[in-house]
PDB file of all heavy atoms in Angstrom:
ATOM      1  N   ILE C 891      82.890 -46.278-136.220  1.00  0.00           N
ATOM      2  CA  ILE C 891      82.800 -47.616-135.620  1.00  0.00           C
ATOM      3  C   ILE C 891      83.593 -47.654-134.318  1.00  0.00           C
ATOM      4  O   ILE C 891      83.127 -48.167-133.302  1.00  0.00           O
ATOM      5  CB  ILE C 891      83.299 -48.692-136.612  1.00  0.00           C
ATOM      6  CG1 ILE C 891      82.327 -48.819-137.782  1.00  0.00           C
ATOM      7  CG2 ILE C 891      83.477 -50.032-135.911  1.00  0.00           C
ATOM      8  CD1 ILE C 891      82.852 -49.661-138.928  1.00  0.00           C
ATOM      9  N   MET C 892      84.807 -47.095-134.328  1.00  0.00           N
ATOM     10  CA  MET C 892      85.662 -47.101-133.140  1.00  0.00           C
ATOM     11  C   MET C 892      85.007 -46.327-131.995  1.00  0.00           C
ATOM     12  O   MET C 892      85.016 -46.781-130.846  1.00  0.00           O
ATOM     13  CB  MET C 892      87.029 -46.515-133.477  1.00  0.00           C
ATOM     14  CG  MET C 892      88.035 -46.641-132.370  1.00  0.00           C
ATOM     15  SD  MET C 892      88.494 -48.333-131.945  1.00  0.00           S
ATOM     16  CE  MET C 892      89.584 -48.731-133.281  1.00  0.00           C
ATOM     17  N   VAL C 907      86.363 -60.691-128.588  1.00  0.00           N
ATOM     18  CA  VAL C 907      85.244 -60.449-129.494  1.00  0.00           C
ATOM     19  C   VAL C 907      85.793 -60.305-130.906  1.00  0.00           C
ATOM     20  O   VAL C 907      86.789 -59.599-131.119  1.00  0.00           O
ATOM     21  CB  VAL C 907      84.485 -59.155-129.093  1.00  0.00           C
ATOM     22  CG1 VAL C 907      83.424 -58.816-130.105  1.00  0.00           C
ATOM     23  CG2 VAL C 907      83.894 -59.285-127.709  1.00  0.00           C
ATOM     24  N   ASN C 908      85.167 -60.961-131.863  1.00  0.00           N
ATOM     25  CA  ASN C 908      85.478 -60.815-133.287  1.00  0.00           C
ATOM     26  C   ASN C 908      84.174 -60.541-134.022  1.00  0.00           C
ATOM     27  O   ASN C 908      83.270 -61.369-133.982  1.00  0.00           O
ATOM     28  CB  ASN C 908      86.140 -62.075-133.856  1.00  0.00           C
ATOM     29  CG  ASN C 908      87.536 -62.271-133.312  1.00  0.00           C
ATOM     30  OD1 ASN C 908      88.335 -61.353-133.261  1.00  0.00           O
ATOM     31  ND2 ASN C 908      87.820 -63.488-132.881  1.00  0.00           N
ATOM     32  N   ILE C 909      84.082 -59.385-134.667  1.00  0.00           N
ATOM     33  CA  ILE C 909      82.863 -59.002-135.381  1.00  0.00           C
ATOM     34  C   ILE C 909      83.238 -58.616-136.808  1.00  0.00           C
ATOM     35  O   ILE C 909      84.198 -57.881-137.028  1.00  0.00           O
ATOM     36  CB  ILE C 909      82.164 -57.809-134.689  1.00  0.00           C
ATOM     37  CG1 ILE C 909      81.774 -58.179-133.257  1.00  0.00           C
ATOM     38  CG2 ILE C 909      80.949 -57.359-135.480  1.00  0.00           C
ATOM     39  CD1 ILE C 909      81.236 -57.023-132.447  1.00  0.00           C
ATOM     40  N   VAL C 910      82.455 -59.110-137.771  1.00  0.00           N
ATOM     41  CA  VAL C 910      82.615 -58.719-139.168  1.00  0.00           C
ATOM     42  C   VAL C 910      81.473 -57.764-139.502  1.00  0.00           C
ATOM     43  O   VAL C 910      80.317 -58.035-139.199  1.00  0.00           O
ATOM     44  CB  VAL C 910      82.575 -59.949-140.100  1.00  0.00           C
ATOM     45  CG1 VAL C 910      82.652 -59.529-141.548  1.00  0.00           C
ATOM     46  CG2 VAL C 910      83.703 -60.910-139.757  1.00  0.00           C
ATOM     47  N   ILE C 911      81.818 -56.639-140.122  1.00  0.00           N
ATOM     48  CA  ILE C 911      80.821 -55.628-140.486  1.00  0.00           C
ATOM     49  C   ILE C 911      80.871 -55.461-141.998  1.00  0.00           C
ATOM     50  O   ILE C 911      81.950 -55.254-142.535  1.00  0.00           O
ATOM     51  CB  ILE C 911      81.130 -54.277-139.814  1.00  0.00           C
ATOM     52  CG1 ILE C 911      81.262 -54.474-138.308  1.00  0.00           C
ATOM     53  CG2 ILE C 911      80.067 -53.244-140.136  1.00  0.00           C
ATOM     54  CD1 ILE C 911      81.934 -53.327-137.615  1.00  0.00           C
ATOM     55  N   PRO C 912      79.808 -55.545-142.735  1.00  0.00           N
ATOM     56  CA  PRO C 912      78.431 -55.727-142.303  1.00  0.00           C
ATOM     57  C   PRO C 912      78.151 -57.193-141.997  1.00  0.00           C
ATOM     58  O   PRO C 912      78.730 -58.087-142.592  1.00  0.00           O
ATOM     59  CB  PRO C 912      77.610 -55.278-143.513  1.00  0.00           C
ATOM     60  CG  PRO C 912      78.487 -55.537-144.671  1.00  0.00           C
ATOM     61  CD  PRO C 912      79.895 -55.364-144.190  1.00  0.00           C
ATOM     62  N   MET C 921      78.670 -49.496-141.887  1.00  0.00           N
ATOM     63  CA  MET C 921      79.429 -48.666-142.819  1.00  0.00           C
ATOM     64  C   MET C 921      78.455 -48.121-143.852  1.00  0.00           C
ATOM     65  O   MET C 921      77.398 -48.718-144.072  1.00  0.00           O
ATOM     66  CB  MET C 921      80.513 -49.492-143.518  1.00  0.00           C
ATOM     67  CG  MET C 921      81.639 -49.871-142.598  1.00  0.00           C
ATOM     68  SD  MET C 921      83.004 -50.645-143.482  1.00  0.00           S
ATOM     69  CE  MET C 921      82.246 -52.100-144.123  1.00  0.00           C
ATOM     70  N   ALA C 931      83.400 -53.206-149.344  1.00  0.00           N
ATOM     71  CA  ALA C 931      84.106 -52.974-148.083  1.00  0.00           C
ATOM     72  C   ALA C 931      83.621 -53.934-147.002  1.00  0.00           C
ATOM     73  O   ALA C 931      82.425 -54.197-146.867  1.00  0.00           O
ATOM     74  CB  ALA C 931      83.911 -51.532-147.625  1.00  0.00           C
ATOM     75  N   VAL C 932      84.582 -54.451-146.242  1.00  0.00           N
ATOM     76  CA  VAL C 932      84.309 -55.338-145.107  1.00  0.00           C
ATOM     77  C   VAL C 932      85.211 -54.899-143.960  1.00  0.00           C
ATOM     78  O   VAL C 932      86.409 -54.708-144.145  1.00  0.00           O
ATOM     79  CB  VAL C 932      84.603 -56.810-145.456  1.00  0.00           C
ATOM     80  CG1 VAL C 932      84.417 -57.700-144.242  1.00  0.00           C
ATOM     81  CG2 VAL C 932      83.735 -57.284-146.604  1.00  0.00           C
ATOM     82  N   ALA C 933      84.619 -54.746-142.777  1.00  0.00           N
ATOM     83  CA  ALA C 933      85.395 -54.355-141.600  1.00  0.00           C
ATOM     84  C   ALA C 933      85.511 -55.543-140.655  1.00  0.00           C
ATOM     85  O   ALA C 933      84.558 -56.300-140.473  1.00  0.00           O
ATOM     86  CB  ALA C 933      84.724 -53.188-140.892  1.00  0.00           C
ATOM     87  N   ASN C 934      86.676 -55.715-140.078  1.00  0.00           N
ATOM     88  CA  ASN C 934      86.923 -56.751-139.069  1.00  0.00           C
ATOM     89  C   ASN C 934      87.288 -56.058-137.765  1.00  0.00           C
ATOM     90  O   ASN C 934      88.256 -55.308-137.704  1.00  0.00           O
ATOM     91  CB  ASN C 934      88.059 -57.681-139.500  1.00  0.00           C
ATOM     92  CG  ASN C 934      87.675 -58.510-140.693  1.00  0.00           C
ATOM     93  OD1 ASN C 934      86.687 -59.213-140.667  1.00  0.00           O
ATOM     94  ND2 ASN C 934      88.451 -58.415-141.754  1.00  0.00           N
ATOM     95  N   LEU C 935      86.501 -56.330-136.738  1.00  0.00           N
ATOM     96  CA  LEU C 935      86.698 -55.727-135.426  1.00  0.00           C
ATOM     97  C   LEU C 935      87.117 -56.810-134.452  1.00  0.00           C
ATOM     98  O   LEU C 935      86.461 -57.847-134.344  1.00  0.00           O
ATOM     99  CB  LEU C 935      85.399 -55.065-134.956  1.00  0.00           C
ATOM    100  CG  LEU C 935      85.384 -54.514-133.538  1.00  0.00           C
ATOM    101  CD1 LEU C 935      86.325 -53.325-133.430  1.00  0.00           C
ATOM    102  CD2 LEU C 935      83.983 -54.132-133.138  1.00  0.00           C
ATOM    103  N   LYS C 936      88.216 -56.577-133.748  1.00  0.00           N
ATOM    104  CA  LYS C 936      88.702 -57.526-132.738  1.00  0.00           C
ATOM    105  C   LYS C 936      88.924 -56.776-131.436  1.00  0.00           C
ATOM    106  O   LYS C 936      89.577 -55.742-131.410  1.00  0.00           O
ATOM    107  CB  LYS C 936      90.015 -58.173-133.188  1.00  0.00           C
ATOM    108  CG  LYS C 936      89.855 -59.042-134.409  1.00  0.00           C
ATOM    109  CD  LYS C 936      91.164 -59.642-134.840  1.00  0.00           C
ATOM    110  CE  LYS C 936      90.944 -60.452-136.119  1.00  0.00           C
ATOM    111  NZ  LYS C 936      92.163 -61.005-136.642  1.00  0.00           N
ATOM    112  N   ILE C 937      88.374 -57.328-130.373  1.00  0.00           N
ATOM    113  CA  ILE C 937      88.561 -56.767-129.037  1.00  0.00           C
ATOM    114  C   ILE C 937      89.140 -57.873-128.171  1.00  0.00           C
ATOM    115  O   ILE C 937      88.594 -58.974-128.114  1.00  0.00           O
ATOM    116  CB  ILE C 937      87.241 -56.256-128.429  1.00  0.00           C
ATOM    117  CG1 ILE C 937      86.573 -55.239-129.358  1.00  0.00           C
ATOM    118  CG2 ILE C 937      87.491 -55.650-127.058  1.00  0.00           C
ATOM    119  CD1 ILE C 937      85.181 -54.845-128.928  1.00  0.00           C
ATOM    120  N   ILE C 958      91.551 -52.636-129.011  1.00  0.00           N
ATOM    121  CA  ILE C 958      90.531 -52.669-130.059  1.00  0.00           C
ATOM    122  C   ILE C 958      91.243 -52.494-131.402  1.00  0.00           C
ATOM    123  O   ILE C 958      91.904 -51.480-131.628  1.00  0.00           O
ATOM    124  CB  ILE C 958      89.503 -51.536-129.872  1.00  0.00           C
ATOM    125  CG1 ILE C 958      88.941 -51.538-128.458  1.00  0.00           C
ATOM    126  CG2 ILE C 958      88.407 -51.628-130.911  1.00  0.00           C
ATOM    127  CD1 ILE C 958      88.206 -50.267-128.094  1.00  0.00           C
ATOM    128  N   ASP C 959      91.123 -53.496-132.257  1.00  0.00           N
ATOM    129  CA  ASP C 959      91.711 -53.444-133.599  1.00  0.00           C
ATOM    130  C   ASP C 959      90.597 -53.435-134.630  1.00  0.00           C
ATOM    131  O   ASP C 959      89.703 -54.290-134.589  1.00  0.00           O
ATOM    132  CB  ASP C 959      92.612 -54.656-133.853  1.00  0.00           C
ATOM    133  CG  ASP C 959      93.882 -54.602-133.042  1.00  0.00           C
ATOM    134  OD1 ASP C 959      94.648 -53.643-133.228  1.00  0.00           O
ATOM    135  OD2 ASP C 959      94.100 -55.514-132.220  1.00  0.00           O
ATOM    136  N   LEU C 960      90.646 -52.502-135.551  1.00  0.00           N
ATOM    137  CA  LEU C 960      89.656 -52.404-136.619  1.00  0.00           C
ATOM    138  C   LEU C 960      90.395 -52.316-137.950  1.00  0.00           C
ATOM    139  O   LEU C 960      91.294 -51.487-138.108  1.00  0.00           O
ATOM    140  CB  LEU C 960      88.771 -51.172-136.423  1.00  0.00           C
ATOM    141  CG  LEU C 960      87.735 -50.916-137.502  1.00  0.00           C
ATOM    142  CD1 LEU C 960      86.680 -52.009-137.510  1.00  0.00           C
ATOM    143  CD2 LEU C 960      87.093 -49.556-137.307  1.00  0.00           C
ATOM    144  N   THR C 961      90.027 -53.185-138.878  1.00  0.00           N
ATOM    145  CA  THR C 961      90.615 -53.180-140.211  1.00  0.00           C
ATOM    146  C   THR C 961      89.485 -53.152-141.231  1.00  0.00           C
ATOM    147  O   THR C 961      88.552 -53.945-141.135  1.00  0.00           O
ATOM    148  CB  THR C 961      91.475 -54.437-140.443  1.00  0.00           C
ATOM    149  OG1 THR C 961      92.465 -54.509-139.434  1.00  0.00           O
ATOM    150  CG2 THR C 961      92.149 -54.390-141.792  1.00  0.00           C
ATOM    151  N   ILE C 962      89.568 -52.234-142.181  1.00  0.00           N
ATOM    152  CA  ILE C 962      88.587 -52.169-143.268  1.00  0.00           C
ATOM    153  C   ILE C 962      89.313 -52.506-144.562  1.00  0.00           C
ATOM    154  O   ILE C 962      90.316 -51.879-144.902  1.00  0.00           O
ATOM    155  CB  ILE C 962      87.915 -50.790-143.356  1.00  0.00           C
ATOM    156  CG1 ILE C 962      87.157 -50.487-142.064  1.00  0.00           C
ATOM    157  CG2 ILE C 962      86.976 -50.729-144.568  1.00  0.00           C
ATOM    158  CD1 ILE C 962      86.463 -49.141-142.041  1.00  0.00           C
ATOM    159  N   ASP C 963      88.803 -53.519-145.270  1.00  0.00           N
ATOM    160  CA  ASP C 963      89.334 -53.916-146.575  1.00  0.00           C
ATOM    161  C   ASP C 963      88.315 -53.540-147.646  1.00  0.00           C
ATOM    162  O   ASP C 963      87.107 -53.731-147.443  1.00  0.00           O
ATOM    163  CB  ASP C 963      89.570 -55.434-146.617  1.00  0.00           C
ATOM    164  CG  ASP C 963      90.611 -55.878-145.614  1.00  0.00           C
ATOM    165  OD1 ASP C 963      91.750 -55.400-145.699  1.00  0.00           O
ATOM    166  OD2 ASP C 963      90.264 -56.699-144.738  1.00  0.00           O
ATOM    167  N   LYS C 972      93.542 -51.398-147.819  1.00  0.00           N
ATOM    168  CA  LYS C 972      93.321 -51.715-146.406  1.00  0.00           C
ATOM    169  C   LYS C 972      93.550 -50.462-145.564  1.00  0.00           C
ATOM    170  O   LYS C 972      94.452 -49.676-145.824  1.00  0.00           O
ATOM    171  CB  LYS C 972      94.283 -52.815-145.968  1.00  0.00           C
ATOM    172  CG  LYS C 972      94.129 -53.228-144.513  1.00  0.00           C
ATOM    173  CD  LYS C 972      95.105 -54.312-144.149  1.00  0.00           C
ATOM    174  CE  LYS C 972      94.500 -55.597-144.616  1.00  0.00           C
ATOM    175  NZ  LYS C 972      95.073 -56.785-143.985  1.00  0.00           N
ATOM    176  N   TYR C 973      92.710 -50.311-144.531  1.00  0.00           N
ATOM    177  CA  TYR C 973      92.837 -49.211-143.579  1.00  0.00           C
ATOM    178  C   TYR C 973      92.707 -49.812-142.187  1.00  0.00           C
ATOM    179  O   TYR C 973      91.765 -50.542-141.907  1.00  0.00           O
ATOM    180  CB  TYR C 973      91.730 -48.177-143.824  1.00  0.00           C
ATOM    181  CG  TYR C 973      91.819 -46.956-142.938  1.00  0.00           C
ATOM    182  CD1 TYR C 973      92.600 -45.871-143.309  1.00  0.00           C
ATOM    183  CD2 TYR C 973      91.126 -46.885-141.736  1.00  0.00           C
ATOM    184  CE1 TYR C 973      92.681 -44.751-142.505  1.00  0.00           C
ATOM    185  CE2 TYR C 973      91.207 -45.771-140.931  1.00  0.00           C
ATOM    186  CZ  TYR C 973      91.986 -44.711-141.318  1.00  0.00           C
ATOM    187  OH  TYR C 973      92.072 -43.598-140.521  1.00  0.00           O
ATOM    188  N   SER C 974      93.652 -49.528-141.306  1.00  0.00           N
ATOM    189  CA  SER C 974      93.643 -50.098-139.953  1.00  0.00           C
ATOM    190  C   SER C 974      93.628 -48.990-138.912  1.00  0.00           C
ATOM    191  O   SER C 974      94.227 -47.934-139.107  1.00  0.00           O
ATOM    192  CB  SER C 974      94.878 -50.969-139.731  1.00  0.00           C
ATOM    193  OG  SER C 974      94.874 -52.047-140.628  1.00  0.00           O
ATOM    194  N   LEU C 975      92.957 -49.298-137.814  1.00  0.00           N
ATOM    195  CA  LEU C 975      92.861 -48.366-136.697  1.00  0.00           C
ATOM    196  C   LEU C 975      92.956 -49.188-135.415  1.00  0.00           C
ATOM    197  O   LEU C 975      92.333 -50.248-135.308  1.00  0.00           O
ATOM    198  CB  LEU C 975      91.522 -47.642-136.777  1.00  0.00           C
ATOM    199  CG  LEU C 975      91.307 -46.363-136.009  1.00  0.00           C
ATOM    200  CD1 LEU C 975      92.344 -45.319-136.370  1.00  0.00           C
ATOM    201  CD2 LEU C 975      89.922 -45.814-136.302  1.00  0.00           C
TER     202      LEU C 975
END
Side-chain angles (χ1 to χ4, degrees):
I891 291 169
M892 187 65 77
V907 174
N908 291 314
I909 300 173
V910 176
I911 306 164
M921 289 188 297
V932 176
N934 293 304
L935 174 68
K936 295 179 183 177
I937 304 172
I958 308 165
D959 290 299
L960 177 66
T961 303
I962 299 180
D963 297 301
K972 180 180 278 199
Y973 183 87
S974 298
L975 198 56

